[in-house]
Amino acid sequence: MSDSFFGFDTTLPPLNSDQLTGLEGNTGEQNDETEEEDFERKFKEFSLLPGEDVGAFDDEQNFDLSAQLVETGDDLNDETFGNVGQDFDFMESTAKMDSIQKEEEIYVTRRESNNNSENFDEQAKRRPSYAALWGNDTDGMINGNGKGIHSNEASPISPSIWGSFHSPSNRKDSLTLVQDNSNIPGTFEIPQHYTPPQTSPPPGFGLPSHPSNRLPMSLDEIEAQLYRQPGLPEKRIYSLAEVEAAILGINGRPPPSQQLPIHPATEAVFREQETIAYLEQEYKRREKQRKLAEMSRYNGLMTQSDKDFINRIQISQLVTDDPYADDFYFQVYTAIRSRQAQPQMSAFSPHLGGAGFMGHERGRHRSRGSESGLLKMQQQVLRIVNDARRKPKLTQLSLEGALGKIALNSVRNPRQLLQVSSKHNDIHHHAGPSGGIHQPHQKVPSISSHGIVDHRKVLRSIENVYTAVLALEELRRNQPPLPRYAADHEREVVEKWNEEYTELAVTMWEELRVTEMFGVSILSVAKGKKVIPRVLRHCLPDQILTLITMLVANFEALDVCKCVIWGPQGIISPVMLEEIELFMNTVVPPLLQFVAEAPMRIVLGLFGLFIERNNIVWVARSKVGLAFLTMFLSRTEILKQGGGTMQGLPLPEERELLQWQELYNRLFNLLQNHFLPLFPPFNIGLDDMYVWQFLAAMAVGASTEQQHILVTEVRERVLDTVMQASRLSADKASHKIANVNLFLNALGLDASQLKI
Amino acid sequence: MTEETHTAPVEPAAVEEPLDLVRLSLDERIYVKLRGDRELRGKLHAYDGHLNMVLSEVEETITVVEINEETYEEVIRTQKKTSEMLFVRGDGVILVGF
């Protein structure tokens, strides 16, 4: 487990027997074997007995340990960073385990001696103790069958656990023992059946699945039986399939006469199933035990302070002052996740998820009331961050007397292959995009065509806008709380923040160059469109008005207008359609919101400017142009009907109403005879709802005479649409009809009244 | 490809080093030439200092030179693939065109 984790070479020579004896404590066995045997047996007991005991005993502590190993989640992380408790220390707990196992072993062997004294009398005389007997018995299994089972899946079984059994004398012993047992298959089954089991066995259970203490023995015996019966050579290594086949073969045989009086065939089936199930279970258990034993080899290699030290190194690599810059996706992800999960767990702010890596005030004042462990970890992290801040980050270290320099590399400071002066970057970093210090750029005469250079300038401006927007958003996230008390330092913080924010906002605004035609070019690039909603969030109402005025005045120049007019051929590239959608989804909504709150005076001003500056007949054929017109018309209509009073706006004055009427008439006159071409070509499958919306807005403000003109002009389209709807499926048809009704209802009509 | 080397005189902020020029093409369609006679055209979504890149709507062109067994004539064949989204590992990038 730990060998590669810390990058250390942890393969140490195995403990010697003295150490092992010390580790295991006195078990009270009579050690009359040779030292070598003793050593091996210790190993065996260490690696195997726990496996047997896990199943045999419902020992709580025992269970505890395995649960920790498998299921310990991050909930114990706090302890990783604080004083690691007992439960994290493998050495101590395994040592404890060991003594428990010893006790259990003694218990088992005692029980064993009670239960099996008649059967094993002979062996008992031969062997010094039952513990030794057990050890050797299983030993034989491992060398013979056990190895065969593991040969496919678990070949890297460490030699120090099992491999050291191959001492010839020992092996011979164990094999003879196995033979003794397995040659009399009936005898060893009796005690199992009549041993009072600790938990009652399910009805119809065969022998191997008794959850009693005898159970490990029974498996071994079965294995031994399997191993002996087919008469295969001992040393042969079985594949798993072979073993299974062998099991089937044995279990198909009639059971020994001592068995309970169950029908032989049924019993065979039962036994077969249970044996297989049991073998699987046992295999898993052993695997777990093996891993445990493997891990325990490294117990006690590191002291607590070593572990703390390494923890600190690892955490300090991850700690950052600016989690949004260094760990952006994680931060956003947790923010989104926690927003979804807010109702249940409001205590967990978005930052707690990443708390380990944020380490500043934000983490501190939001974690109030959460668990103490979390606090502890955060404190530790804070300390690390502060330490890191205090010590400037060294990139090199030259020791006295050393010939070279030692590079200190880290995640943030990877090994540099090139030494390029980063002066420019530093200045840029401190001055920010506001560019307090302008680098004296050489004027390179531009060779390339003007179009390309201009495009590149636009791209550059957009990037600058993005830089500013990102910085502003970062500032917003770090906005200091409003001072509750008259504390001077708090107010200072807020003031400083305001200053920074304003400065950045100005920079951003300047980069947009709204007042120049350049702003239009920015809006002609997809990412320029995308940034608008984010920009407007940091804008003052005045600035939004400026932007919208610029747009209205230069509408013709926008790509979404000039490239998207439905000509007679009616072809627009799909790329352009995407651009329109983007514009409608990004730029229009904030503007719409602004207009929806604007007073009559401003709306009329924009409306007038739009009609004044653009070729309306042409512009109105673009979707966006028409959307603008609809926006102005519907807002003025709402204001005319007194909708503005709810927003605290006064009713439009007489003068304004007159102005509106003038503008409307002008628009109507301009569009007269051009209403039908506003529609996109009929049969290209585009949704023409926006045109119907516009016509509806026109119809509402129209005089009776104008309404008549309107109806006459678009009558054909209305009829076509209704006819088309009658041929379409129900939901599509209803959509079409609803579109037409937008217009007809504004006139006080309905599509159902039409007679085709 | 020569235009990228100019430093335009106007804005100081966004472009400080050659790699910054790639930033200008974020969200734009670019051309990438790769080792192994491969070329990509697609929309740039992200890049890093190794020129690892994420591209979308990519058209990949692979040029294969086959030698006719009998006449020893070289036959140049191109193969095209399209991918919706592609992660390009930077170590294969030879050049990036805007």
Side-chain angles (χ1 to χ4, degrees):
Chain A
M1 169 208 163
S2 56
D3 42 4
S4 67
F5 186 65
F6 292 137
F8 293 149
D9 182 14
T10 46
T11 49
L12 285 186
L15 301 177
N16 64 34
S17 59
D18 284 349
Q19 282 171 315
L20 267 174
T21 346
L23 200 73
E24 291 181 334
N26 186 15
T27 52
E29 288 171 33
Q30 306 152 1
N31 295 328
D32 56 348
E33 296 112 320
T34 63
E35 198 184 301
E36 193 193 6
E37 272 177 337
D38 184 39
F39 173 42
E40 282 160 1
R41 210 190 59 243
K42 297 282 187 202
F43 254 126
K44 273 173 276 157
E45 286 159 359
F46 190 60
S47 57
L48 286 173
L49 275 171
E52 294 158 351
D53 293 337
V54 166
F57 281 94
D58 219 0
D59 190 303
E60 215 181 300
Q61 281 167 295
N62 198 346
F63 182 71
D64 248 354
L65 182 78
S66 57
Q68 272 169 27
L69 285 173
V70 177
E71 288 162 6
T72 304
D74 357 356
D75 45 345
L76 281 177
N77 267 357
D78 46 327
E79 306 200 349
T80 316
F81 306 120
N83 343 316
V84 174
Q86 292 267 316
D87 29 10
F88 206 76
D89 187 347
F90 289 115
M91 200 282 283
E92 280 208 38
S93 36
T94 12
K96 205 166 66 196
M97 259 292 289
D98 197 43
S99 65
I100 292 163
Q101 285 159 3
K102 280 293 148 209
E103 284 165 27
E104 286 167 1
E105 185 205 3
I106 292 161
Y107 181 55
V108 171
T109 46
R110 280 208 195 112
R111 281 178 52 86
E112 213 50 62
S113 63
N114 292 339
N115 292 335
N116 301 355
S117 48
E118 300 102 16
N119 293 338
F120 288 9
D121 244 351
E122 220 185 326
Q123 287 98 340
K125 276 176 210 153
R126 231 192 291 152
R127 308 296 302 174
S129 75
Y130 283 111
L133 171 98
W134 271 101
N136 274 332
D137 201 7
T138 38
D139 179 20
M141 293 304 96
I142 302 308
N143 285 332
N145 268 352
K147 211 168 178 188
I149 286 170
H150 295 309
S151 64
N152 287 337
E153 303 92 322
S155 48
I157 289 168
S158 94
S160 62
I161 297 175
W162 286 347
S164 59
F165 302 151
H166 292 274
S167 90
S169 64
N170 199 5
R171 188 172 162 73
K172 208 177 119 204
D173 264 357
S174 66
L175 284 176
T176 50
L177 186 66
V178 167
Q179 257 169 330
D180 288 344
N181 269 341
S182 53
N183 282 346
I184 37 166
T187 50
F188 66 83
E189 281 164 0
I190 303 168
Q192 276 153 9
H193 270 279
Y194 301 109
T195 303
Q198 290 188 329
T199 52
S200 59
F205 246 42
L207 70 113
S209 44
H210 272 282
S212 75
N213 289 329
R214 283 289 288 126
L215 185 141
M217 182 61 176
S218 71
L219 174 80
D220 291 338
E221 284 162 352
I222 287 165
E223 281 181 350
Q225 194 185 4
L226 300 182
Y227 180 62
R228 300 302 302 167
Q229 233 121 28
L232 289 162
E234 288 165 20
K235 287 216 170 179
R236 187 167 158 203
I237 289 176
Y238 297 125
S239 73
L240 194 58
E242 279 175 319
V243 173
E244 272 173 17
I247 292 165
L248 294 184
I250 285 156
N251 289 326
R253 285 150 44 93
S257 52
Q258 292 95 335
Q259 282 296 333
L260 289 173
I262 306 170
H263 191 274
T266 340
E267 158 116 10
V269 172
F270 272 133
R271 284 187 58 191
E272 184 183 313
Q273 287 169 350
E274 278 156 14
T275 316
I276 290 167
Y278 179 74
L279 279 174
E280 276 171 13
Q281 216 183 340
E282 181 64 18
Y283 174 70
K284 274 188 206 155
R285 203 179 295 147
R286 284 203 179 174
E287 194 66 358
K288 198 162 143 191
Q289 209 50 46
R290 190 182 60 78
K291 279 180 192 154
L292 222 152
E294 190 135 323
M295 284 193 301
S296 69
R297 282 201 299 164
Y298 306 112
N299 283 350
L301 286 179
M302 291 166 74
T303 65
Q304 189 53 50
S305 62
D306 287 344
K307 290 174 194 163
D308 285 348
F309 180 64
I310 284 168
N311 278 337
R312 228 169 297 136
I313 290 175
Q314 290 177 326
I315 295 167
S316 67
Q317 295 289 313
L318 299 171
V319 161
T320 162
D321 280 347
D322 184 5
Y324 272 94
D326 289 327
D327 205 4
F328 178 80
Y329 291 101
F330 175 75
Q331 294 297 331
V332 171
Y333 176 74
T334 41
I336 292 168
R337 280 283 298 273
S338 69
R339 206 177 301 146
Q340 283 165 354
Q342 208 115 56
Q344 299 94 344
M345 39 183 302
S346 51
F348 286 84
S349 79
H351 304 293
L352 278 188
F357 315 115
M358 2 187 319
H360 43 167
E361 302 82 56
R362 216 185 316 151
R364 206 194 296 154
H365 68 242
R366 295 208 187 176
S367 64
R368 241 177 293 128
S370 60
E371 307 129 45
S372 66
L374 215 53
L375 266 174
K376 224 162 77 183
M377 186 175 86
Q378 280 182 351
Q379 280 164 6
Q380 176 111 5
V381 167
L382 258 180
R383 228 173 45 223
I384 292 167
V385 171
N386 290 336
D387 280 355
R389 266 196 214 138
R390 235 175 285 132
K391 287 183 223 152
K393 279 203 174 164
L394 293 172
T395 53
Q396 273 187 334
L397 176 76
S398 41
L399 292 172
E400 211 174 319
L403 288 176
K405 285 175 178 170
I406 300 165
L408 299 172
N409 299 320
S410 69
V411 184
R412 312 262 165 256
N413 177 35
R415 191 164 69 100
Q416 275 187 319
L417 288 175
L418 292 173
Q419 296 284 343
V420 183
S421 142
S422 58
K423 202 169 61 188
H424 289 228
N425 267 344
D426 282 352
I427 288 164
H428 164 53
H429 218 76
H430 295 306
S434 56
I437 304 155
H438 280 239
Q439 288 295 306
H441 277 282
Q442 288 175 313
K443 279 224 168 196
V444 182
S446 121
I447 312 163
S448 53
S449 75
H450 274 283
I452 288 176
V453 166
D454 283 343
H455 185 59
R456 203 140 289 154
K457 273 189 202 165
V458 171
L459 291 179
R460 186 167 305 185
S461 283
I462 292 172
E463 286 312 315
N464 289 340
V465 170
Y466 267 104
T467 312
V469 166
L470 288 172
L472 281 169
E473 285 173 355
E474 171 70 16
L475 268 179
R476 273 267 174 110
R477 281 192 293 264
N478 293 331
Q479 185 168 16
L482 285 176
R484 271 159 296 176
Y485 319 104
D488 277 347
H489 69 275
E490 275 191 34
R491 204 176 298 149
E492 264 173 40
V493 169
V494 172
E495 271 168 24
K496 192 166 165 260
W497 183 87
N498 279 336
E499 221 170 86
E500 272 180 57
Y501 186 86
T502 319
E503 196 186 316
L504 265 174
V506 168
T507 314
M508 176 192 75
W509 186 250
E510 280 170 0
E511 277 301 337
L512 263 183
R513 298 206 233 167
V514 171
T515 45
E516 304 167 37
M517 272 299 281
F518 200 77
V520 173
S521 334
I522 286 179
L523 281 173
S524 297
V525 181
K527 53 185 166 180
K529 295 185 182 81
K530 284 178 200 160
V531 83
I532 291 296
R534 289 165 81 178
V535 165
L536 292 182
R537 239 172 274 151
H538 306 284
C539 282
L540 305 168
D542 274 359
Q543 291 174 324
I544 299 178
L545 181 60
T546 314
L547 179 78
I548 197 170
T549 311
M550 181 275 285
L551 271 182
V552 163
N554 300 312
F555 193 82
E556 280 179 351
L558 285 176
D559 67 334
V560 285
C561 173
K562 79 179 165 201
C563 310
V564 194
I565 306 297
W566 297 107
Q569 66 275 58
I571 298 162
I572 289 178
S573 71
V575 179
M576 253 358 264
L577 287 178
E578 268 175 39
E579 291 290 311
I580 296 172
E581 276 310 300
L582 193 62
F583 192 90
M584 293 298 284
N585 290 330
T586 55
V587 184
V588 172
L591 299 185
L592 195 63
Q593 198 194 342
F594 176 81
V595 170
E597 288 163 5
M600 192 66 161
R601 187 175 49 82
I602 288 176
V603 185
L604 284 177
L606 290 170
F607 194 8
L609 191 66
F610 195 71
I611 296 174
E612 191 82 31
R613 292 288 294 267
N614 299 295
N615 179 349
I616 287 297
V617 177
W618 195 57
V619 161
R621 289 195 202 172
S622 71
K623 184 173 180 178
V624 180
L626 213 52
F628 267 64
L629 282 175
T630 314
M631 178 167 82
F632 294 137
L633 282 172
S634 41
R635 176 63 185 163
T636 46
E637 192 59 40
I638 289 169
L639 286 170
K640 258 176 31 179
Q641 293 170 6
T645 46
M646 285 200 295
Q647 293 162 318
L649 298 170
L651 277 171
E653 298 166 23
E654 195 62 29
R655 188 172 49 83
E656 286 171 340
L657 287 177
L658 274 174
Q659 199 188 345
W660 177 84
Q661 196 56 55
E662 201 181 303
L663 279 173
Y664 179 87
N665 288 339
R666 200 162 148 213
L667 176 67
F668 196 92
N669 291 338
L670 281 169
L671 286 178
Q672 196 167 354
N673 298 322
H674 298 287
F675 282 113
L676 198 54
L678 297 182
F679 285 98
F682 191 65
N683 274 324
I684 61 170
L686 273 179
D687 189 11
D688 52 4
M689 183 167 74
Y690 66 96
V691 187
W692 295 112
Q693 278 172 338
F694 169 72
L695 289 177
M698 282 303 278
V700 169
S703 64
T704 323
E705 194 188 333
Q706 283 167 331
Q707 283 187 348
H708 187 74
I709 296 169
L710 259 183
V711 173
T712 322
E713 280 207 34
V714 298
R715 186 175 171 276
E716 199 184 321
R717 181 81 177 196
V718 172
L719 294 178
D720 279 352
T721 310
V722 174
M723 283 222 300
Q724 190 195 24
S726 64
R727 281 180 266 116
L728 289 168
S729 63
D731 55 332
K732 275 186 192 163
S734 67
H735 180 69
K736 289 265 177 204
I737 296 293
N739 280 347
V740 176
N741 271 340
L742 279 174
F743 171 59
L744 292 181
N745 290 352
L747 296 167
L749 302 169
D750 195 277
S752 55
Q753 298 167 326
L754 289 174
K755 295 212 175 86
I756 303 164
Chain B
M1 301 320 300
T2 47
E3 293 114 31
E4 294 103 69
T5 51
H6 301 309
T7 322
V10 211
E11 298 85 13
V15 178
E16 293 287 341
E17 51 172 315
L19 198 58
D20 288 345
L21 285 163
V22 181
R23 190 181 166 192
L24 298 186
S25 291
L26 280 170
D27 206 41
E28 300 274 296
R29 291 192 77 80
I30 58 165
Y31 165 79
V32 182
K33 190 172 176 184
L34 295 171
R35 293 205 226 180
D37 301 323
R38 279 156 200 263
E39 292 163 41
L40 303 174
R41 278 167 219 277
K43 197 186 204 180
L44 178 68
H45 284 274
Y47 72 95
D48 66 8
H50 307 284
L51 277 178
N52 294 327
M53 285 182 281
V54 178
L55 302 177
S56 73
E57 298 153 40
V58 194
E59 189 191 66
E60 180 179 10
T61 313
I62 307 162
T63 311
V64 192
V65 179
E66 282 170 353
I67 295 167
N68 193 318
E69 301 257 324
E70 288 148 24
T71 58
Y72 295 102
E73 229 177 311
E74 286 189 356
V75 185
I76 295 170
R77 201 162 51 81
T78 55
Q79 209 177 318
K80 295 212 175 198
K81 282 190 216 167
T82 52
S83 328
E84 206 173 310
M85 194 67 88
L86 214 58
F87 177 89
V88 184
R89 191 165 145 79
D91 65 352
V93 174
I94 292 170
L95 63 84
V96 180
F98 309 115

